[in-house]
Amino acid sequence: MEYMTESTDRSPGHILCCECGVPISPNPANICVACLRSKVDISQGIPKQVSISFCKQCQRYFQPPGTWIQCALESRELLALCLKKIKAPLSKVRLVDAGFVWTEPHSKRLKVKLTIQKEVMNGAILQQVFVVDYVVQSQMCGDCHRVEAKDFWKAVIQVRQKTFHKKTFYYLEQLILKYGMHQNTLRVKEIHDGLDFYYSSKQHAQKMVEFLQCTVPCRYKASQRLISQDIHNNTYNYKSTFSVEIVPICKDNVVCLSPKLAQSLGNMNQICVCIRVTSAIHLIDPNTLQVADIDGSTFWSHPFNSLCHPKQLEEFIVMECSIVRDIKRAAGAGMISKKHTLGEVWVQKTSEMNTDKQYFCRTHLGHLLNPGDLVLGFDLANCNLNDEHVNKMNSDRVPDVVLIKKSYDRTKRQRRRNWKLKELARERENMDTDDERQYQDFLEDLEEDEAIRKNVNIYRDSTIPVESDTDDEGAPRISLAEMLEDLHISQDATGEEAKSALEAADLESKVTEEPGAVPHACNSSTLGG
């Protein structure tokens, strides 16, 4: 007699579907999946097409009941927003997975693929995959409605500077563009002595005021006016006004400090030249090359004004120039500028060349001047100085001439300038004919001062050919390494201009692949060689 062992491998038993008779594994409903799906649709009640609102102006989606949110295509935030639109029907089933199905960006359609599960007959769990189509409908949000109304605003910033030149405003404009602080403005209005920025919320205006305090020396006052109120729910509607005053000092101004302020800055002379205005006022003493920085709070504690109007700049010709090697420093003197060289020069006005009258002065431009050069400066000996600090000074300590900067041929500099700046879109009124000259002065300051250039986005002008960094006169120029390419995105990826650009690129690659062909990038005429 032999002992027979049972096989350990047991195959599960099969039953027949009660509907179609197909052999299936046992399940609580005793029905195959195909018959179960034909009888039960677990996605019933879930809408297959839903509309979603989108604002074209601000690129935001509407999230009920009353908020607008920024979402990128196929992002987690947009997926959550889409699922919230069908939140009530989805609560009756179990959501297993959700994801986007790719659609064309301009098709105004969003497709979401959902995987859900639900318990059906006798505890059987059925899983189903389907796609919900979202139709993107254009709807303008409330904020953009107010912007289109033109006259709506909740807060305004009035930036003012009591000076004759707009160099500080041109510099401030470039800082605003670089850091994108103009994006929340409803509109920008330019008036004679400043700019007005209008905002739809007070928070955006406060952020702009904080930015101004960090970039230029200024002070501000805030006020608000009650427009309306609701006594039933205790709500008030205010319009806020921020009055920002920038210090009345610009680059190349000659100033006279108070004796107390000059002593606190290292016993420097009272007559100084402003070499730049950034977050502080940077001064240099043309007699000793001593430099000092004055912030906004110090200026308002010891205020001073410009001695001369920019139109009082006169042209001098250098007759003789010598470098001062040994600089005598008094006790407690401050820092000495390493970028400038102290020189003693004899100059004569170009308008007085038929006379023998010359002026002697010390200047911080000793590294730039040579006999025969033209230089711009202020004639303090023959002008009427109406300043309280100058009137109290000893006349021997007031120089006859203060030289400001070397003079170059402006027409030639404009013709060879191969770069440009962007400007704020603003409303202009009461335009002064002197604005163009002042803007050209600012562009020349950018070429001459590297410290200011670091804070400004400079774009290459492709219409001007590339030349060397210095011209025949030695006028400073901006190198190509400091310029940015001004990109213009035309239409979309399938537009005609983009298509023609791609065809041109393909044609160029074919030409360079031909034997004996000279690559375009190595062409000597392209490199200017």
Side-chain angles (χ1 to χ4, degrees):
M1 177 182 285
E2 295 182 0
Y3 179 72
M4 302 292 295
T5 59
E6 283 190 22
S7 176
T8 57
D9 297 334
R10 292 184 179 180
S11 59
H14 289 79
I15 63 172
L16 300 178
C17 174
C18 62
E19 293 288 334
C20 62
V22 175
I24 60 172
S25 298
N27 59 62
N30 294 329
I31 302 177
C32 66
V33 177
C35 296
L36 189 59
R37 285 179 176 172
S38 63
K39 284 181 168 292
V40 180
D41 183 14
I42 62 174
S43 66
Q44 186 178 4
I46 300 177
K48 303 302 186 295
Q49 189 172 14
V50 186
S51 62
I52 185 170
S53 300
F54 176 72
C55 180
K56 291 182 178 180
Q57 276 74 12
C58 60
Q59 304 290 315
R60 293 188 298 175
Y61 292 89
F62 177 66
Q63 181 178 359
T67 58
W68 292 81
I69 59 175
Q70 195 93 20
C71 300
L73 287 176
E74 300 189 5
S75 62
R76 295 171 60 91
E77 294 80 7
L78 185 57
L79 182 60
L81 177 62
C82 293
L83 294 178
K84 286 181 180 179
K85 298 286 289 185
I86 54 175
K87 182 178 180 180
L90 280 180
S91 61
K92 299 178 182 179
V93 296
R94 179 171 176 263
L95 180 63
V96 178
D97 188 24
F100 282 102
V101 179
W102 186 85
T103 56
E104 290 286 348
H106 59 272
S107 63
K108 299 295 183 182
R109 293 291 188 275
L110 298 174
K111 291 187 177 182
V112 180
K113 183 180 180 181
L114 301 178
T115 303
I116 60 174
Q117 291 180 352
K118 186 178 181 181
E119 184 177 344
V120 291
M121 300 178 181
N122 301 324
I125 297 178
L126 184 63
Q127 180 171 307
Q128 186 174 347
V129 180
F130 62 99
V131 176
V132 179
D133 192 7
Y134 290 84
V135 181
V136 181
Q137 296 181 347
S138 299
Q139 179 182 347
M140 189 178 291
C141 65
D143 295 337
C144 294
H145 261 298
R146 299 186 185 101
V147 173
E148 292 298 324
K150 302 295 184 184
D151 295 328
F152 175 84
W153 54 273
K154 282 290 187 68
V156 60
I157 301 178
Q158 299 173 343
V159 185
R160 301 290 184 268
Q161 186 183 30
K162 299 175 182 178
T163 184
F164 299 104
H165 207 291
K166 296 183 179 180
K167 288 183 179 180
T168 308
F169 276 109
Y170 291 136
Y171 173 70
L172 181 61
E173 176 187 18
Q174 297 304 316
L175 289 179
I176 293 173
L177 288 171
K178 180 176 181 179
Y179 295 104
M181 298 303 296
H182 63 292
Q183 296 177 352
N184 295 323
T185 56
L186 298 179
R187 62 190 177 106
V188 181
K189 185 177 181 181
E190 180 180 355
I191 60 174
H192 178 65
D193 56 348
L195 295 171
D196 289 345
F197 298 88
Y198 294 89
Y199 293 89
S200 59
S201 67
K202 185 178 179 181
Q203 290 75 17
H204 291 157
Q206 289 174 334
K207 185 178 179 180
M208 183 63 171
V209 171
E210 294 174 359
F211 174 79
L212 293 175
Q213 288 182 304
C214 296
T215 52
V216 290
C218 61
R219 63 180 177 180
Y220 79 97
K221 293 182 180 179
S223 63
Q224 57 184 10
R225 180 163 57 100
L226 180 63
I227 303 301
S228 61
Q229 63 174 332
D230 190 346
I231 60 175
H232 299 290
N233 55 11
N234 199 26
T235 58
Y236 300 88
N237 182 20
Y238 288 98
K239 279 192 174 183
S240 303
T241 302
F242 297 88
S243 179
V244 180
E245 182 181 0
I246 303 176
V247 294
I249 304 297
C250 285
K251 186 180 185 299
D252 298 336
N253 283 163
V254 178
V255 299
C256 182
L257 307 179
S258 63
K260 184 177 181 181
L261 179 59
Q263 184 180 9
S264 65
L265 296 177
N267 293 323
M268 65 189 307
N269 292 324
Q270 292 182 245
I271 303 295
C272 298
V273 178
C274 177
I275 54 177
R276 77 178 63 91
V277 177
T278 54
S279 57
I281 304 173
H282 303 269
L283 301 177
I284 187 170
D285 182 2
N287 289 320
T288 61
L289 295 185
Q290 186 173 338
V291 293
D293 296 341
I294 301 177
D295 57 5
S297 59
T298 305
F299 175 84
W300 300 117
S301 301
H302 305 279
F304 51 87
N305 297 314
S306 174
L307 296 182
C308 301
H309 191 280
K311 292 184 179 180
Q312 292 178 289
L313 272 175
E314 296 190 57
E315 191 175 56
F316 296 84
I317 184 170
V318 179
M319 308 303 293
E320 184 181 347
C321 179
S322 60
I323 303 299
V324 179
R325 302 297 179 183
D326 299 328
I327 304 176
K328 297 181 180 180
R329 302 185 62 187
M335 293 180 58
I336 299 296
S337 174
K338 303 297 183 182
K339 297 182 179 180
H340 301 83
T341 304
L342 185 63
E344 293 181 345
V345 295
W346 285 90
V347 294
Q348 185 175 7
K349 290 183 182 180
T350 55
S351 60
E352 299 176 354
M353 294 300 293
N354 54 349
T355 65
D356 57 352
K357 187 174 183 180
Q358 297 183 5
Y359 301 90
F360 174 79
C361 66
R362 278 191 167 192
T363 179
H364 59 289
L365 305 176
H367 59 296
L368 297 176
L369 300 182
N370 295 301
D373 289 344
L374 296 179
V375 63
L376 298 177
F378 291 107
D379 182 10
L380 301 185
N382 299 319
C383 68
N384 184 17
L385 298 178
N386 186 14
D387 186 86
E388 57 175 345
H389 302 311
V390 177
N391 295 335
K392 297 178 182 178
M393 288 180 61
N394 190 350
S395 59
D396 297 338
R397 299 184 63 85
V398 179
D400 294 338
V401 173
V402 177
L403 302 182
I404 301 300
K405 60 182 179 179
K406 189 176 179 180
S407 178
Y408 302 97
D409 187 358
R410 169 166 289 186
T411 305
K412 188 178 296 184
R413 294 183 72 173
Q414 292 182 15
R415 187 173 64 252
R416 296 186 177 184
R417 186 172 292 141
N418 59 347
W419 55 273
K420 59 185 178 179
L421 300 176
K422 292 187 176 180
E423 297 184 4
L424 277 176
R426 56 185 181 270
E427 302 175 6
R428 301 173 183 264
E429 62 178 24
N430 299 329
M431 289 296 295
D432 193 355
T433 56
D434 197 39
D435 287 349
E436 181 61 28
R437 184 188 62 84
Q438 295 182 9
Y439 186 68
Q440 293 299 327
D441 289 343
F442 173 70
L443 297 183
E444 293 176 1
D445 292 342
L446 286 180
E447 294 175 336
E448 298 168 4
D449 194 345
E450 184 180 356
I452 298 180
R453 281 204 304 269
K454 292 179 180 179
N455 301 326
V456 176
N457 285 341
I458 299 173
Y459 298 92
R460 179 185 171 188
D461 191 354
S462 58
T463 60
I464 307 298
V466 179
E467 298 182 7
S468 59
D469 291 344
T470 57
D471 56 16
D472 298 336
E473 295 182 349
R477 300 185 64 191
I478 299 178
S479 62
L480 286 175
E482 300 178 80
M483 300 181 192
L484 301 174
E485 289 291 343
D486 192 8
L487 299 179
H488 297 282
I489 301 176
S490 58
Q491 298 182 5
D492 53 47
T494 58
E496 293 297 329
E497 296 184 17
K499 183 178 179 181
S500 61
L502 290 175
E503 292 176 354
D506 293 340
L507 179 61
E508 182 180 347
S509 63
K510 291 178 181 178
V511 170
T512 55
E513 290 173 0
E514 291 181 0
V518 179
H520 180 71
C522 297
N523 194 343
S524 60
S525 62
T526 305
L527 296 177

